[in-house]
Amino acid sequence: MINKLGKNIPEQVDGLGKLQAFQGAFEKIKKGVMEEPTVPAPNRAKMPHQSKLVDTLKEAIEKCNPKDGLTISFHHHLRGGDEVLVPVMNLLANMGIKDITLASSSLTGAHDPVVPLIENGTITRIFSSGIRNELGKAISHGKLKHPVVIHSHGGRVRDVHTGRISVDIAVIATSAADCEGNATGSHGPSAFGSLGYAAIDARYAKNVIVVTDNLVDFPCLPPSITQNFVDHVVKVDSIGDAKKIATGTTRITKSPMDLHIAKVASDAIVNSGYFKNGISFQVGAGGASLAVARFIREEMKKKEIKGSYLLGGVTSYLVDMLEEGFFDALFDVQSFDAAVSRSLYENNNHVEISGGMYANPYNCGCLTNKLDVVVLGALEIDTDFNVNVITGSDGEIRGASGGHSDTAAGANLTVVVCPSFRGRIPIVKKQVNTIVTPGETVDILVTERGLCVNPAKPELEKNLKEAGLWVRDIKELEEEVRGICGEPKKIEYTDKIVGLVEYRDGSIIDVIYEVKNKE
Amino acid sequence: MINKLGKNIPEQVDGLGKLQAFQGAFEKIKKGVMEEPTVPAPNRAKMPHQSKLVDTLKEAIEKCNPKDGLTISFHHHLRGGDEVLVPVMNLLANMGIKDITLASSSLTGAHDPVVPLIENGTITRIFSSGIRNELGKAISHGKLKHPVVIHSHGGRVRDVHTGRISVDIAVIATSAADCEGNATGSHGPSAFGSLGYAAIDARYAKNVIVVTDNLVDFPCLPPSITQNFVDHVVKVDSIGDAKKIATGTTRITKSPMDLHIAKVASDAIVNSGYFKNGISFQVGAGGASLAVARFIREEMKKKEIKGSYLLGGVTSYLVDMLEEGFFDALFDVQSFDAAVSRSLYENNNHVEISGGMYANPYNCGCLTNKLDVVVLGALEIDTDFNVNVITGSDGEIRGASGGHSDTAAGANLTVVVCPSFRGRIPIVKKQVNTIVTPGETVDILVTERGLCVNPAKPELEKNLKEAGLWVRDIKELEEEVRGICGEPKKIEYTDKIVGLVEYRDGSIIDVIYEVKNKE
């Protein structure tokens, strides 16, 4: 099948069944295809006054009666500090379980140790919003039996709800939990904040294990995960390295170029028509994105603008903006540092939300679908504004879809900020290696060499030009970049598909091929 | 079929399908029947940035495309002050919709005006935990086409989850809501507290309408109902009479007999073996029940006992106990007065819970299944400790199952408090008119003429006797009551079934027959 972006999508993939081709960001909904049928949530009655506590992770797993071919899920709220996923996967491997589907909301550098498990057939399928480091390399070089499925945060909820991901065992790491499984990430020595991505697993998994390094007296409040969905509770010595959990990605860039890009992005937002009382806003954590928040904050102060809500992926900079009264509320699906966890615990206007409420396109209205403005990064962007955030310039998987396509599709104004090239490697290109976010959902690209407006938004382009911003044609910018960097070297791939990029509506927007080994 | 309590249960009922006979409080679970299959929760995708606001209730209903035979659901958190259910039902009647199933979490005196709608075939089925006043009379006299199904609060969640109640339109009254349908009952001029019973409707109804008299700026916090499940939002002039919403059932009885019963019940609890640090506790709002809380509070103070959680049906007396530090937490599925709403809004240890977390027996562990002690009332109790809380001494439906059977089954110690007779009408009887709560789940009956212990609990009986309490044989008590009141007059019924009492596991524990009209 050829999808709307001209990508050749196989009709079906061994081990993953039939595929749908991407037809456009909202084409399925516009055509009245509200969704494939959903699956029923399980219920498991228990006799009253039974203990859910088990002594070890191993015992908890054994009680779930693991079998070859099972699907196990995790959340990635512990980020690079996670010490739960790897031990659990090693336990399953030691039990001799094969052909496992690993469904984690994302995977980080902390998960490199599972590479041997994909090599020996313990893990044969992976669903994740992100893949990095050695794991990305191994998959890019064809080590995983079936192609990895890269979904967005919102798409993952739909995947579970429709049964595309049918979770047998959900392992939910928490920084505080009680004997019944009421649990939170908002306090405790390993506090990591919101448990938003785990909500759908708790509801739909056939077996739910809550893991904590901090068993507290009943009841654990707030109950981000509630006991009515939890089968087993296990106390471990550590769920992770607190220093790596609180990533500290909250420092604003000091790079003059990034600051310049951020300033231009802020100017574009201020002149876009969406900068007014009641604005809702999301920025990513990295690079220039967070710096945009700083400039926006200054403009809000100057112009006495009061916003409605911040959404994220929450850094402490956003918490400050909430506390200073620039916004009424902060919706938090994922928290990035200790200050955020504290705010989530203490501030009633800092609200933990599920992945579904954050970004699932197949419900009555997720928060990304109500956003005014989102600021996003990019690994690459093409002259049709299609964005790659998953594969590097060498073609290897090393990024994350995350909420990129969800927010881009939902926001009234989607701003991508990135340099036009990095170290002689072009970022603005004729064609990106892999499309994650379709250009039809991107409105503005801001680089150090001016900004480009999607031709579908002539009114916006007019506004920005009138405001004196350096608005350029994206094709012209691409040519200029090519003039500086030279024609980008073609990546050599085999014809084996190693990854499927699933758009938030469940269709396949792109495929990732195996990178040819260098001789 | 004859059920475990000797009641003759029809194999099936026209319009309600096949029935299961009650086998015992936990027999289904013990036999490994965890549950009938559940139904998938719907999802309904919408395009971003669409307005959900509609101008009138009528328009909201019309957008749900109502058809003959539909099921419509409501919650009863507005109690006797509700002004939403009747107007909606009249709207449907005026649209000419027939054969409606009315599924309200309970029905009160405020709902008498729907009697004409059951007489003219607009409403032909009713699911509810309670039926009172004219509506109870009308149903008892055979006016409703199909038998009313009386469920417990926990059983209702299971009914919706399994599709026994398949809600087409859920109308959720809220005291504050925003344009997306995020809504709460915890603040606003008509604040009524927890929205616990509406949670399952929001998740499973095919169409969800949020109704409010207090449309607030986005976002409405806390979002007890979240926007991802809401289709339409409508602002009305009034959702109800605030004075009748805050029922003020929080005053403790001044009746010397009730106070005496409460004191004995408290003594029994203190000597039961369950009165210790970490105790969890629920009391009803009415009669002697709340007075028990007063005595228990005094005993906790005296003996320096610190409890774990209070559960309910919450009156402000329980809020005081939370604030005074007698318990760590207060779980609130239903709030009874304005002070409770305020506490729910302000106190993070006062936690709103769904009906499922409260009492659904078919999940991994509801809070009623973790209770230590519950104190309950009774309209009648028999010598096997079976309790009637639904039909009056004239056989007419005038009560509520509520959480009675849920808490009785879950608690380690279930105490029923009631006088042995009222105005020459015996309450302790050989046989009750209608069994709602099976005697196997009741441990102690406390009356003004001593207390009786279920023979299944000899250890408990021993403890209470040793503590010097007046422990009596329930058969002896019944004889004594009969000696005072005389043989109770037999109620004359026809052989037409007008009600089914559904136990929390979905089986039928009793049937209610049509009361013969007096000539």
Side-chain angles (χ1 to χ4, degrees):
Chain A
M1 307 179 279
I2 305 295
N3 75 12
K4 196 197 175 189
L5 300 173
K7 302 297 185 131
N8 196 345
I9 311 297
E11 301 266 349
Q12 66 166 56
V13 164
D14 206 33
L16 291 165
K18 281 194 179 174
L19 303 180
Q20 304 166 36
F22 174 73
Q23 306 167 37
F26 288 101
E27 278 311 297
K28 276 173 72 177
I29 295 173
K30 282 184 194 159
K31 285 181 185 158
V33 181
M34 306 308 274
E35 184 61 326
E36 302 85 21
T38 64
V39 294
N43 57 3
R44 305 173 290 281
K46 290 194 193 307
M47 292 296 290
H49 305 284
Q50 305 296 301
S51 172
K52 294 179 181 179
L53 287 171
V54 292
D55 289 332
T56 62
L57 258 181
K58 181 158 184 273
E59 198 183 328
I61 299 280
E62 282 168 349
K63 278 180 180 285
C64 301
N65 196 18
K67 290 202 167 63
D68 287 358
L70 69 78
T71 296
I72 188 160
S73 81
F74 300 87
H75 65 70
H76 72 289
H77 292 293
L78 297 167
R79 289 169 290 273
D82 179 27
E83 291 174 6
V84 172
L85 186 148
V86 171
V88 168
M89 295 313 296
N90 281 332
L91 276 168
L92 286 166
N94 290 338
M95 289 175 194
I97 310 293
K98 294 283 178 192
D99 195 22
I100 294 172
T101 298
L102 170 59
S104 183
S105 55
S106 196
L107 292 163
T108 68
H111 306 123
D112 280 349
V114 303
V115 169
L117 305 189
I118 72 170
E119 289 171 342
N120 72 11
T122 301
I123 299 169
T124 54
R125 287 175 199 79
I126 295 179
F127 288 82
S128 179
S129 72
I131 305 269
R132 297 165 176 95
N133 291 40
E134 294 307 312
L135 192 55
K137 220 181 267 294
I139 293 171
S140 293
H141 288 276
K143 298 281 174 66
L144 184 66
K145 186 172 177 193
H146 303 291
V148 63
V149 179
I150 304 293
H151 50 57
S152 72
H153 289 324
R156 179 176 193 267
V157 179
R158 195 218 57 249
D159 277 347
V160 175
H161 194 201
T162 59
R164 174 139 180 77
I165 300 175
S166 176
V167 182
D168 295 296
I169 305 172
V171 179
I172 302 179
T174 68
S175 65
D178 64 35
C179 56
E180 294 287 333
N182 298 298
T184 183
S186 67
H187 54 84
S190 307
F192 53 81
S194 175
L195 262 164
Y197 298 132
I200 190 75
D201 306 63
R203 189 64 200 91
Y204 277 88
K206 293 177 194 79
N207 298 273
V208 175
I209 301 171
V210 160
V211 179
T212 191
D213 55 3
N214 180 34
L215 194 67
V216 300
D217 283 348
F218 186 93
C220 175
L221 300 181
S224 307
I225 301 292
T226 57
Q227 63 178 61
N228 43 327
F229 304 130
V230 179
D231 297 274
H232 310 296
V233 178
V234 60
K235 159 102 167 63
V236 295
D237 291 336
S238 169
I239 58 166
D241 180 340
K243 284 192 300 294
K244 292 183 191 162
I245 292 171
T247 45
T249 47
T250 56
R251 253 167 305 147
I252 288 176
T253 179
K254 285 181 178 154
S255 143
M257 188 182 70
D258 282 348
L259 283 173
H260 167 70
I261 292 172
K263 179 66 177 68
V264 174
S266 167
D267 289 347
I269 292 164
V270 167
N271 292 286
S272 67
Y274 295 107
F275 189 71
K276 51 190 175 194
N277 281 321
I279 189 174
S280 55
F281 188 57
Q282 175 165 353
V283 286
S289 301
L290 195 57
V292 180
R294 194 190 101 183
F295 291 113
I296 286 293
R297 179 180 164 284
E298 285 168 11
E299 289 295 323
M300 290 180 82
K301 198 165 186 176
K302 210 187 299 174
K303 301 199 164 62
E304 296 185 357
I305 296 288
K306 171 84 185 254
S308 170
Y309 70 95
L310 288 159
L311 182 63
V314 175
T315 58
S316 57
Y317 197 80
L318 300 195
V319 169
D320 293 343
M321 287 175 81
L322 175 71
E323 287 175 0
E324 290 163 357
F326 289 106
F327 288 86
D328 290 330
L330 172 50
F331 289 109
D332 188 345
V333 70
Q334 183 181 10
S335 325
F336 282 109
D337 65 37
V340 178
S341 300
R342 202 158 46 242
S343 164
L344 181 66
Y345 185 60
E346 289 172 359
N347 187 338
N348 287 337
N349 295 323
H350 184 164
V351 181
E352 183 165 352
I353 56 167
S354 67
M357 182 152 169
Y358 173 53
N360 179 10
Y362 278 92
N363 62 30
C364 291
C366 56
L367 285 161
T368 54
N369 276 5
K370 196 183 164 61
L371 265 178
D372 285 316
V373 178
V374 67
V375 181
L376 297 165
L379 293 175
E380 298 178 331
I381 183 164
D382 72 19
T383 50
D384 290 325
F385 291 84
N386 297 307
V387 178
N388 171 21
V389 283
I390 192 72
T391 52
S393 58
D394 55 3
E396 287 179 0
I397 303 171
R398 63 174 57 184
S401 167
H404 202 283
S405 64
D406 295 315
T407 51
N412 280 318
L413 182 74
T414 300
V415 182
V416 168
V417 290
C418 59
S420 61
F421 62 92
R422 284 188 192 98
R424 294 266 150 173
I425 295 170
I427 291 175
V428 182
K429 298 170 70 177
K430 268 191 186 159
Q431 275 201 317
V432 294
N433 290 335
T434 314
I435 300 176
V436 173
T437 295
E440 62 173 300
T441 63
V442 174
D443 301 305
I444 301 177
L445 163 68
V446 183
T447 73
E448 81 287 7
R449 297 172 177 269
L451 64 81
C452 311
V453 179
N454 192 318
K457 296 281 177 90
E459 185 78 13
L460 179 64
E461 178 164 344
K462 192 167 143 273
N463 287 348
L464 300 185
K465 275 183 173 161
E466 280 175 10
L469 289 165
W470 184 21
V471 180
R472 309 185 59 185
D473 184 285
I474 195 166
K475 292 196 174 81
E476 183 195 303
L477 176 62
E478 186 276 328
E479 262 177 58
E480 183 176 307
V481 168
R482 195 148 31 93
I484 298 164
C485 303
E487 199 70 47
K489 224 179 104 187
K490 206 121 174 117
I491 302 160
E492 287 192 82
Y493 295 106
T494 76
D495 58 3
K496 179 181 170 178
I497 292 175
V498 297
L500 301 170
V501 182
E502 192 181 85
Y503 191 61
R504 63 200 299 248
D505 68 356
S507 65
I508 305 300
I509 193 164
D510 210 344
V511 298
I512 303 169
Y513 289 94
E514 182 184 27
V515 175
K516 245 191 196 159
N517 288 317
K518 290 180 189 106
E519 303 304 317
Chain B
M1 309 178 278
I2 304 296
N3 76 11
K4 197 197 175 191
L5 299 173
K7 301 298 183 130
N8 197 346
I9 311 296
E11 302 265 351
Q12 66 166 58
V13 163
D14 205 35
L16 290 164
K18 281 194 180 176
L19 304 179
Q20 304 166 34
F22 175 73
Q23 307 167 37
F26 288 100
E27 279 311 296
K28 276 173 73 177
I29 296 173
K30 282 184 194 158
K31 285 181 184 159
V33 181
M34 304 310 272
E35 184 62 325
E36 302 87 19
T38 65
V39 293
N43 56 4
R44 304 174 291 280
K46 291 197 194 304
M47 293 296 291
H49 304 284
Q50 305 296 301
S51 171
K52 295 180 181 179
L53 286 171
V54 291
D55 289 331
T56 63
L57 259 179
K58 181 157 184 273
E59 199 184 328
I61 299 281
E62 282 168 350
K63 279 179 179 285
C64 301
N65 196 17
K67 289 201 168 61
D68 288 358
L70 68 80
T71 295
I72 188 160
S73 81
F74 300 86
H75 65 70
H76 72 290
H77 291 293
L78 298 167
R79 291 169 290 274
D82 178 27
E83 291 174 5
V84 172
L85 187 147
V86 171
V88 168
M89 296 313 295
N90 281 333
L91 276 168
L92 286 165
N94 290 339
M95 289 176 194
I97 310 294
K98 294 285 178 190
D99 196 23
I100 294 172
T101 298
L102 170 61
S104 184
S105 56
S106 197
L107 293 163
T108 68
H111 305 123
D112 280 349
V114 303
V115 169
L117 305 188
I118 71 170
E119 289 171 340
N120 73 10
T122 300
I123 300 169
T124 54
R125 289 176 197 78
I126 295 178
F127 288 82
S128 179
S129 72
I131 304 269
R132 298 166 176 94
N133 291 42
E134 293 307 312
L135 191 55
K137 218 180 269 291
I139 294 170
S140 293
H141 288 278
K143 298 282 172 68
L144 185 66
K145 185 174 177 190
H146 302 292
V148 63
V149 179
I150 303 294
H151 50 57
S152 72
H153 289 325
R156 180 176 192 268
V157 179
R158 195 217 59 249
D159 277 347
V160 175
H161 194 201
T162 59
R164 175 139 179 77
I165 300 175
S166 176
V167 182
D168 295 295
I169 304 171
V171 179
I172 303 180
T174 69
S175 64
D178 65 34
C179 57
E180 293 289 331
N182 298 298
T184 184
S186 66
H187 54 84
S190 306
F192 52 82
S194 176
L195 262 163
Y197 298 132
I200 190 74
D201 306 63
R203 187 67 200 89
Y204 277 88
K206 293 177 195 79
N207 298 272
V208 175
I209 300 171
V210 159
V211 179
T212 191
D213 55 3
N214 179 35
L215 194 67
V216 299
D217 283 347
F218 186 92
C220 175
L221 300 180
S224 307
I225 301 293
T226 56
Q227 64 178 60
N228 43 329
F229 304 131
V230 179
D231 297 274
H232 311 295
V233 178
V234 59
K235 159 104 168 61
V236 294
D237 290 337
S238 168
I239 58 165
D241 179 340
K243 284 192 300 293
K244 292 184 192 162
I245 292 171
T247 44
T249 47
T250 57
R251 253 167 305 148
I252 288 176
T253 178
K254 284 181 179 155
S255 142
M257 188 180 71
D258 282 349
L259 283 173
H260 167 70
I261 292 172
K263 179 67 177 70
V264 174
S266 167
D267 289 346
I269 292 164
V270 167
N271 292 287
S272 66
Y274 294 107
F275 189 71
K276 52 190 177 195
N277 282 321
I279 189 175
S280 55
F281 188 57
Q282 176 165 351
V283 286
S289 301
L290 195 57
V292 180
R294 195 191 100 183
F295 292 113
I296 287 292
R297 179 181 164 282
E298 285 168 13
E299 290 295 324
M300 290 180 81
K301 199 166 187 176
K302 210 187 300 174
K303 301 199 164 62
E304 295 184 359
I305 297 287
K306 171 84 186 253
S308 170
Y309 70 95
L310 288 159
L311 183 61
V314 175
T315 57
S316 56
Y317 197 81
L318 300 194
V319 169
D320 293 345
M321 287 175 80
L322 175 71
E323 287 175 0
E324 290 163 357
F326 289 106
F327 289 87
D328 290 330
L330 172 50
F331 289 109
D332 189 345
V333 71
Q334 182 181 10
S335 325
F336 281 110
D337 64 38
V340 178
S341 300
R342 203 158 44 240
S343 164
L344 181 66
Y345 185 61
E346 289 172 359
N347 187 339
N348 287 337
N349 295 323
H350 183 163
V351 182
E352 182 166 353
I353 56 167
S354 67
M357 181 150 168
Y358 173 54
N360 178 9
Y362 278 91
N363 63 29
C364 290
C366 57
L367 285 161
T368 54
N369 275 4
K370 194 182 166 61
L371 265 179
D372 286 316
V373 178
V374 67
V375 181
L376 297 165
L379 292 175
E380 298 179 331
I381 183 165
D382 73 19
T383 51
D384 288 327
F385 291 84
N386 297 307
V387 178
N388 171 20
V389 282
I390 193 71
T391 52
S393 58
D394 55 4
E396 287 179 2
I397 302 170
R398 63 176 57 186
S401 168
H404 201 282
S405 64
D406 295 316
T407 51
N412 280 318
L413 183 72
T414 300
V415 182
V416 169
V417 291
C418 59
S420 61
F421 62 94
R422 283 189 194 98
R424 294 265 151 171
I425 295 171
I427 290 176
V428 182
K429 297 170 71 177
K430 268 191 184 158
Q431 277 202 319
V432 294
N433 290 336
T434 313
I435 300 176
V436 172
T437 296
E440 62 173 302
T441 63
V442 174
D443 300 305
I444 300 177
L445 163 67
V446 183
T447 74
E448 80 288 5
R449 297 172 177 268
L451 64 82
C452 310
V453 179
N454 192 318
K457 296 281 180 90
E459 185 78 14
L460 180 64
E461 178 163 347
K462 193 166 143 273
N463 287 348
L464 299 186
K465 275 184 172 159
E466 280 174 10
L469 289 165
W470 183 20
V471 180
R472 309 184 58 183
D473 185 285
I474 195 167
K475 292 198 175 78
E476 183 195 302
L477 176 62
E478 186 276 329
E479 262 178 59
E480 183 175 306
V481 169
R482 196 151 25 95
I484 296 164
C485 302
E487 200 70 47
K489 223 178 108 187
K490 210 123 173 115
I491 302 161
E492 287 190 82
Y493 295 106
T494 76
D495 58 2
K496 178 180 172 180
I497 293 174
V498 296
L500 301 170
V501 183
E502 192 180 84
Y503 192 61
R504 64 200 297 251
D505 69 355
S507 65
I508 304 300
I509 193 164
D510 209 344
V511 297
I512 303 170
Y513 288 94
E514 181 185 27
V515 176
K516 244 191 199 162
N517 288 317
K518 287 174 194 115
E519 301 307 317

